[in-house]
Amino acid sequence: MKAAQFLKKHFIKITSILLALLFIYAAASKMFDFENFQVQLAQSPLLSAYAGVISYTILIVEFAVAILLLVPQWNRRGLLASIGLMSAFTLYIYLILNFSDFVPCSCGGILEKLGWTEHLIFNIAFLVLAIAALYVLAKRKGTAALKELGLAGFITILSCLIIFGLFRSSEHIIKKENNFTRRFLQHPVMEDGKLDLGVNSYYFAGMANGTIYLGNLTAPLLITKVDTGLLKLSQTKITLDNTDHPFRNVLLQVRFPNYYLYDGTVPIIFCGKLGDSTAYTLSYREVFFNQLVVLDSMKFALRTQRGSDNQYTMALLDLNREPKVQLKDDILEKQIDGVFDVDGQMISDLEKNKIIYTYFYRNQYLVMDNDMNILHRLNTIDTTTTAQISITKLSDGKIKMNAPPYSVNKFTALNDNLIFNRSNLKGKHEPAGSWKNSSIIDVYRADGQQYIGSFYIRNRNNKGMSSMISDGHNLYVLIDNELQRYKIRNGAFENDTQRNKLLSGQLVNNGEPKRELAENPVTE
């Protein structure tokens, strides 16, 4: 009872102190790591164009609002300013979560431990506290409480309009229309089944003998098996023969009849037989790596970093040879820094002995054999031949992007000689509604420079697909917590000789894709 009375009596003061401490802590953490704070702002899709001015403005405003809150005669102004700031921060996070394909780093300090959703809830709670304190203050002073709430509402709307204006005017790289045109195929895939997995942390680990194998980011020692008919699901908990390692990123990959668990930060590779719950150490401390593709039971394609300059390079790990590790420095071609500019995804089709590496930030994918010899350097249909990224080196030696990256490709799937590439760029004349509500898949050949066509995969719960895999007859995709199957129409990606010649002539022009590729663009 006494506690309730104390809280009621000192509610305004307690709220003001909490808000002031929040702003002082937030401003101080930014100030003491100001260089990193500016980089994080520059990475924001909403604020990148104004990062320099905003970085200083936020610090000044947060300290000023804290002072207003702590001085009794300025307390009302401090609460109104707090409402404006918290409204702006809350809308900013909402826009990041719902309208941005690129999510930058969170705030510094202990708030960095919060995810964006938790941060949104945290901000809303403090916004409600500030409004409640303003209402109580008005009641105590005998002023019109509703008038004060109306003023708070006006400030909230004004703050939100400012943030929304920044959102509209700042460079938002995903939304710009690019000067290339897609060829949309006539119903090449049809939805043919789905399975609710319950959570959205799954990824494809492989396929074999009518079974899809899934890994789970939050439960890395779990193998989930789903039949290709999406009717049966079973799970196996894996036991490692040695867990005395500083694991940070354990991932699963299946190549029949084995499964492999690996963590390149240790570095270690475990191997187990499908159906057996125990995985044994296969390789330990041979080479650090950040990507791995299983080529056979003792051979792996890796992406690693050279010790001499920390730049990404490819490597072949063959446990039956000496030396076991062979660097392949001629595969990835540096344009800017040798790390971000060569970033991409490595996948393989083991039946055809092909490895594909698709760059994220340029219009190129590499086709290699199982010895990592380059077979082809091929282009996607957009014209981004050079990675459009901006990086900065911090005082501690770390390299970070200081602007949202101009992302070209997100991820790929490979079956036989077909490459399914989820593009991250909107082409010319494409409906904005379709781009907003769907993922775009471009289809290419892996045995030569040939773009076949494109199609859409619809989003679910406002979320796009996170992964895909194909067996040649069906395309399987993960969207949110759902596994979906799309039947590939017979002949959908086959072309007659005349069309092949036409496409070949259109795609290659001094090594760059031509822009007049459209035929029957989709309209909605």
Side-chain angles (χ1 to χ4, degrees):
M1 190 66 177
K2 289 183 178 180
Q5 290 176 343
F6 178 84
L7 181 61
K8 184 177 180 181
K9 181 179 179 181
H10 299 285
F11 176 72
I12 298 171
K13 183 180 290 186
I14 293 172
T15 300
S16 298
I17 292 173
L18 285 175
L19 286 165
L21 289 175
L22 173 64
F23 292 133
I24 290 171
Y25 173 78
S29 63
K30 295 180 181 80
M31 186 174 65
F32 290 129
D33 196 11
F34 189 67
E35 186 181 36
N36 192 46
F37 169 57
Q38 282 191 312
V39 170
Q40 289 175 344
L41 267 186
Q43 291 175 345
S44 167
L46 275 63
L47 304 176
S48 58
Y50 313 102
V53 174
I54 289 178
S55 60
Y56 291 100
T57 302
I58 289 178
L59 283 182
I60 295 170
V61 170
E62 286 184 329
F63 278 126
V65 173
I67 293 171
L68 291 175
L69 287 165
L70 295 175
V71 178
Q73 57 265 38
W74 296 341
N75 185 250
R76 172 179 171 274
R77 296 176 184 177
L79 289 173
L80 288 169
S82 299
I83 291 169
L85 266 183
M86 297 310 296
S87 298
F89 293 157
T90 301
L91 179 62
Y92 170 75
I93 295 175
Y94 177 80
L95 291 174
I96 285 288
L97 287 173
N98 292 279
F99 296 97
S100 173
D101 292 316
F102 173 74
V103 179
C105 299
S106 185
C107 298
I110 58 172
L111 298 181
E112 193 171 10
K113 306 301 180 183
L114 295 178
W116 281 98
T117 301
E118 291 80 7
H119 210 142
L120 179 65
I121 297 170
F122 180 88
N123 281 7
I124 291 173
F126 271 88
L127 176 60
V128 171
L129 272 178
I131 293 173
L134 182 69
Y135 179 80
V136 173
L137 180 63
K139 296 286 276 185
R140 287 184 183 177
K141 288 187 174 182
T143 56
L146 291 180
K147 185 178 179 180
E148 289 289 86
L149 291 180
L151 180 58
F154 172 77
I155 292 174
T156 298
I157 293 172
L158 181 61
S159 298
C160 290
L161 286 175
I162 291 172
I163 292 297
F164 189 73
L166 293 174
F167 169 70
R168 295 292 295 176
S169 61
S170 185
E171 183 181 20
H172 195 268
I173 58 174
I174 303 303
K175 303 303 180 185
K176 67 184 292 187
E177 183 175 274
N178 297 273
N179 196 22
F180 66 89
T181 309
R182 287 188 168 90
R183 178 195 304 278
F184 285 93
L185 303 171
Q186 298 298 317
H187 308 294
V189 298
M190 295 165 284
E191 187 173 348
D192 192 40
K194 57 187 177 181
L195 176 66
D196 188 349
L197 299 173
V199 296
N200 62 1
S201 52
Y202 285 103
Y203 60 91
F204 290 114
M207 289 184 69
N209 301 329
T211 300
I212 303 167
Y213 294 91
L214 302 173
N216 193 317
L217 294 173
T218 58
L221 299 183
L222 198 66
I223 297 180
T224 300
K225 297 184 290 184
V226 181
D227 70 299
T228 53
L230 308 187
L231 298 175
K232 298 179 182 178
L233 183 148
S234 61
Q235 295 181 322
T236 301
K237 180 68 180 296
I238 302 170
T239 302
L240 303 179
D241 69 339
N242 188 344
T243 59
D244 190 24
H245 297 292
F247 295 114
R248 294 176 59 189
N249 187 32
V250 178
L251 296 173
L252 170 72
Q253 200 168 138
V254 172
R255 182 182 181 186
F256 189 82
N258 300 323
Y259 64 86
Y260 300 83
L261 282 163
Y262 54 93
D263 187 338
T265 65
V266 174
I268 194 166
I269 303 173
F270 298 93
C271 179
K273 291 284 186 182
L274 288 171
D276 187 350
S277 61
T278 303
Y280 299 92
T281 301
L282 181 66
S283 170
Y284 177 52
R285 299 188 72 176
E286 306 289 354
V287 57
F288 291 93
F289 58 90
N290 44 49
Q291 284 195 40
L292 175 146
V293 164
V294 180
L295 302 179
D296 64 34
S297 60
M298 301 291 283
K299 187 176 177 182
F300 307 88
L302 307 175
R303 192 184 73 181
T304 183
Q305 285 184 281
R306 287 192 297 264
S308 58
D309 55 15
N310 288 325
Q311 294 181 12
Y312 284 165
T313 188
M314 307 299 277
L316 193 64
L317 172 62
D318 191 337
L319 300 177
N320 287 325
R321 293 179 55 182
E322 288 296 339
K324 295 178 182 179
V325 180
Q326 181 183 0
L327 294 182
K328 300 285 185 175
D329 289 328
D330 60 333
I331 295 177
L332 301 181
E333 296 180 326
K334 175 184 174 181
Q335 293 181 336
I336 301 171
D337 67 324
V339 178
F340 292 113
D341 64 332
V342 298
D343 199 7
Q345 179 200 17
M346 180 168 57
I347 59 172
S348 69
D349 184 328
L350 300 177
E351 293 183 1
K352 296 296 181 180
N353 295 323
K354 276 191 173 68
I355 304 169
I356 302 291
Y357 188 86
T358 306
Y359 287 110
F360 289 148
Y361 306 121
R362 66 177 94 161
N363 68 340
Q364 191 177 71
Y365 57 98
L366 314 176
V367 184
M368 297 168 274
D369 63 21
N370 266 17
D371 290 318
M372 302 192 79
N373 298 309
I374 293 286
L375 301 177
H376 306 286
R377 293 183 185 271
L378 306 175
N379 296 109
T380 55
I381 60 172
D382 69 278
T383 56
T384 313
T385 57
T386 302
Q388 298 182 30
I389 60 174
S390 179
I391 61 171
T392 188
K393 189 172 183 178
L394 304 181
S395 56
D396 61 1
K398 293 181 180 179
I399 297 176
K400 287 192 174 185
M401 289 192 184
N402 60 9
Y406 188 88
S407 180
V408 176
N409 307 302
K410 298 200 78 167
F411 52 82
T412 55
L414 173 67
N415 180 264
D416 197 357
N417 275 318
L418 288 180
I419 296 174
F420 299 91
N421 178 57
R422 183 183 172 188
S423 175
N424 211 37
L425 296 180
K426 178 182 175 183
K428 196 173 183 180
H429 308 308
E430 292 176 18
S434 295
W435 184 257
K436 180 179 179 181
N437 299 318
S438 307
S439 300
I440 188 78
I441 309 298
D442 298 327
V443 186
Y444 302 91
R445 296 283 298 182
D447 54 359
Q449 182 68 72
Q450 184 176 329
Y451 163 66
I452 296 175
S454 304
F455 60 92
Y456 289 114
I457 297 291
R458 295 295 179 191
N459 295 348
R460 181 181 182 274
N461 296 332
N462 295 319
K463 295 183 179 179
M465 58 189 296
S466 59
S467 184
M468 59 181 167
I469 196 170
S470 176
D471 60 5
H473 304 289
N474 298 285
L475 181 69
Y476 299 89
V477 303
L478 289 170
I479 304 180
D480 197 18
N481 61 338
E482 200 167 81
L483 171 58
Q484 297 181 356
R485 182 183 64 216
Y486 288 83
K487 183 177 179 59
I488 298 175
R489 180 171 55 83
N490 290 336
F493 304 123
E494 295 176 3
N495 297 316
D496 56 35
T497 304
Q498 183 178 6
R499 186 177 173 190
N500 281 339
K501 290 180 179 178
L502 174 64
L503 283 170
S504 298
Q506 287 179 326
L507 270 171
V508 181
N509 179 23
N510 296 326
E512 292 188 5
K514 278 193 174 181
R515 298 173 182 175
E516 58 272 22
L517 290 171
E519 182 178 286
N520 301 325
V522 72
T523 56
E524 294 189 358

